[in-house]
Amino acid sequence: MPSVLNPNNLVRSQLCIDESKPTILLVTDSVAVHTGLAQLCRNIWGRIQKTGEFNIVQLGWWHEYPVEQAAWPLITTQKSPKNGALEPADYYGHISLNKILDVVKPQAIWVSSDPWMAVPLMARRQRISCPIIAYLAVDGGPLDLYPRTLSAGEDPGRVAPNQLGWHEVVHAANYVVPYGSYGYRVLTHFYPEANVCEPIPLGVDTKVFKYVSQDERDDLKQQLFGVGPDQRVFLSVSRNQMRKNLAYNFLALHFLRSGHYTVCQECGAFNLWHRDYATCTDIRPRSKCYKCGAGSMLPGAPASTLHYYAHVPTDEMLQDSLRLVPLMQQLDLMGAETSDCVFTNTKLRSTHGVPVEEMARYYAACDAFAMPSNEGFGLPFIEAMSTGTPVVALDYSAPPDFLRGAATLVPSEHAWCEPPTGYWRGLPDPHAWTQAIYETCMLTGEAREAARQRARERALEYDWDGIASRWHELVSQALSSSGPSLWTQPIIGV
């Protein structure tokens, strides 16, 4: 049984390394936890491991509440000797990496993350002789285009990773692999001199996330949400983070259920009522269409059969980034304690989710998957599509790469700057977003079946076996030829 190892007393004999094989060090979220990074690592490297060609060792971030068994030796980041909690100063290996590199002695390093998370590794580039392959999630344009010079004596273990970031990571890696063509466009535009490879997408297990019949969907809807087939449910699957833009889903539900929208007789666009956000009240219908300017408007009918399943960790419902309970109360979507139109899952925590088989049931029970988020790829989108659930998404960042032609994409006409991660974030048009949710949820008959078939057929193109095969080829290439690196001098002395 592979071991979970403490970096403080790590010795090479614990790793059970076969010296006749090359050793690959994986650097990403622990494969034992419930995150998207962990999931993609399990699916890619679990398949590569079966070839028996490599020793695989992992530095696993966020190994605090494991829900899976690691299939290879897993080294955690440091934990507090007082309470066993993760040490914040070592979240991404700021402190542990030097010793881990010395003990593991990898022939190649594979890191999968947002660019800023990989900074502690890349900051040690000068002491790493093997090739580094960076598999990067890019879900916005970068802010930090140029390197940052640290002042003398500044401790990298106390510098927030995002204070360095894109430039250092892209230039330190021998191979930079984005998740999709969006990431490829961003990286090659801003860093044309870097060795940015053709993108390798993420995948989906189409046997777990399987297509189900309408009768099965109706049964699941009753079992999971307690509503009949005449009711409509859309869902989102995410953490409660600003870039997920979840407020737009709650706003859409509010305007649709209240009937506080009008429909333009000329272009058919939904127009949400003017809203006074100071007093949290809808004040009046729009006199002219926001889209075409026509003045001929029909009142919208209240969508009383519409519901929203927010698959969000319950311990994040009140966090500062988006206080969901007060938001629902202000939008008249819940009373003092309960809601009859917003469903949540009490099993969910930020540290662990539900088994993939159960998650597949939730996707299949819903009429639409609607996520206005910015993503480096977006596993929930492809998982929902694999079950045949039609998708509504923002036409920004990576998801449109694989959604276009098989989902409803809503334009992003505004953006905001998110300094903590160094990204420009897209925002949906609230009128168009609300209309897309309504029209997708209310599909019936042949139109509904056609939308589901398009979604399923697209998902079948993203098979984990083929994706793992591409990674096997690239890693083998890296081992035989390290590839170019633009690294010239250390950012910091580590």
Side-chain angles (χ1 to χ4, degrees):
M1 185 69 67
S3 303
V4 177
L5 305 170
N6 186 319
N8 290 327
N9 50 21
L10 183 67
V11 295
R12 190 170 174 82
S13 61
Q14 296 173 305
L15 305 176
C16 302
I17 286 176
D18 181 344
E19 301 294 349
S20 67
K21 300 177 182 179
T23 298
I24 314 298
L25 176 63
L26 312 180
V27 182
T28 189
D29 285 3
S30 163
V31 288
V33 301
H34 186 86
T35 67
L37 288 175
Q39 184 176 339
L40 74 89
C41 187
R42 284 194 298 270
N43 278 289
I44 292 170
W45 285 97
R47 286 165 170 80
I48 294 176
Q49 185 186 41
K50 292 177 181 178
T51 67
E53 296 178 27
F54 310 116
N55 299 301
I56 299 176
V57 180
Q58 184 184 6
L59 165 58
W61 302 328
W62 301 104
H63 185 89
E64 194 165 21
Y65 296 96
V67 294
E68 301 276 349
Q69 177 66 49
W72 43 73
L74 191 152
I75 308 164
T76 70
T77 54
Q78 289 193 1
K79 297 186 177 182
S80 168
K82 294 181 179 180
N83 56 18
L86 293 173
E87 178 58 58
D90 197 39
Y91 276 159
Y92 296 100
H94 289 68
I95 301 171
S96 300
L97 262 166
N98 285 352
K99 182 169 184 179
I100 292 170
L101 292 168
D102 290 342
V103 173
V104 176
K105 298 180 174 60
Q107 277 73 56
I109 297 173
W110 183 89
V111 55
S112 178
S113 67
D114 288 350
W116 61 272
M117 299 175 187
V119 166
L121 173 68
M122 301 306 187
R124 289 153 174 79
R125 187 62 180 99
Q126 197 167 53
R127 58 182 292 147
I128 298 172
S129 59
C130 69
I132 299 177
I133 305 168
Y135 191 27
L136 299 182
V138 178
D139 51 10
L143 298 176
D144 55 334
L145 301 181
Y146 307 103
R148 173 182 183 272
T149 302
L150 299 189
S151 29
E154 196 167 6
D155 181 358
R158 299 296 183 267
V159 175
N162 57 280
Q163 290 185 16
L164 298 172
W166 290 66
H167 186 278
E168 289 76 16
V169 169
V170 171
H171 287 76
N174 301 85
Y175 301 87
V176 179
V177 184
Y179 290 0
S181 59
Y182 174 83
Y184 183 85
R185 292 195 303 274
V186 170
L187 293 170
T188 54
H189 175 78
F190 288 109
Y191 307 104
E193 70 283 3
N195 185 30
V196 181
C197 304
E198 287 297 315
I200 301 179
L202 276 61
V204 62
D205 188 335
T206 56
K207 296 182 181 64
V208 173
F209 296 94
K210 59 186 178 181
Y211 191 90
V212 299
S213 69
Q214 185 59 47
D215 287 343
E216 290 175 292
R217 289 176 178 273
D218 291 342
D219 289 343
L220 286 171
K221 191 181 290 185
Q222 180 65 51
Q223 292 170 24
L224 297 175
F225 307 124
V227 298
D230 60 323
Q231 304 294 297
R232 297 289 185 264
V233 182
F234 69 96
L235 84 155
S236 62
V237 177
S238 74
R239 299 284 303 276
N240 183 18
Q241 298 169 330
M242 290 298 291
R243 68 181 175 89
K244 303 298 184 179
N245 294 327
L246 292 179
Y248 287 86
N249 278 356
F250 290 99
L251 281 167
L253 185 66
H254 160 75
F255 283 114
L256 290 170
R257 285 184 63 92
S258 65
H260 288 181
Y261 66 100
T262 52
V263 182
C264 176
Q265 289 187 278
E266 295 296 324
C267 70
F270 282 25
N271 285 253
L272 309 182
W273 282 25
H274 290 286
R275 183 170 175 81
D276 182 352
Y277 287 94
T279 59
C280 301
T281 54
D282 302 334
I283 51 178
R284 65 180 183 278
R286 295 176 184 271
S287 58
K288 292 185 178 181
C289 177
Y290 84 97
K291 191 173 183 179
C292 72
S296 180
M297 311 290 282
L298 292 174
S304 58
T305 61
L306 187 64
H307 307 267
Y308 173 31
Y309 171 49
H311 190 86
V312 177
T314 53
D315 57 332
E316 294 183 351
M317 296 289 282
L318 287 170
Q319 73 178 33
D320 292 341
S321 60
L322 181 59
R323 296 172 61 80
L324 298 182
V325 172
L327 175 66
M328 288 189 284
Q329 291 170 337
Q330 287 184 355
L331 294 173
D332 298 321
L333 299 176
M334 73 175 294
E337 296 182 357
T338 61
S339 171
D340 60 1
C341 61
V342 177
F343 308 130
T344 57
N345 191 327
T346 57
K347 297 179 183 178
L348 291 180
R349 297 290 184 275
S350 56
T351 52
H352 59 274
V354 299
V356 291
E357 294 80 8
E358 185 175 346
M359 192 66 248
R361 286 161 48 84
Y362 279 103
Y363 286 125
C366 293
D367 300 281
F369 177 85
M371 273 276 285
S373 58
N374 297 238
E375 302 291 344
F377 183 82
L379 278 173
F381 293 96
I382 201 74
E383 291 171 349
M385 294 174 79
S386 187
T387 68
T389 298
V391 165
V392 179
L394 188 63
D395 193 3
Y396 182 82
S397 69
D401 291 346
F402 63 90
L403 294 177
R404 200 172 305 280
T408 300
L409 298 178
V410 175
S412 173
E413 299 184 354
H414 305 282
W416 64 284
C417 179
E418 186 184 54
T421 57
Y423 288 139
W424 281 102
R425 300 297 193 190
L427 297 170
D429 176 330
H431 308 275
W433 184 256
T434 300
Q435 182 169 0
I437 289 175
Y438 179 86
E439 292 179 344
T440 305
C441 284
M442 299 302 169
L443 288 173
T444 59
E446 292 182 0
R448 178 171 61 186
E449 188 59 29
R452 289 176 177 171
Q453 289 291 344
R454 283 196 301 272
R456 174 65 176 180
E457 288 168 6
R458 181 61 56 84
L460 290 172
E461 299 174 15
Y462 292 83
D463 176 68
W464 277 121
D465 289 338
I467 291 165
S469 178
R470 292 179 63 183
W471 272 113
H472 181 272
E473 181 180 349
L474 181 57
V475 170
S476 299
Q477 176 187 339
L479 289 168
S480 61
S481 173
S482 63
S485 172
L486 298 174
W487 195 260
T488 55
Q489 58 183 350
I491 315 171
I492 38 188
V494 292

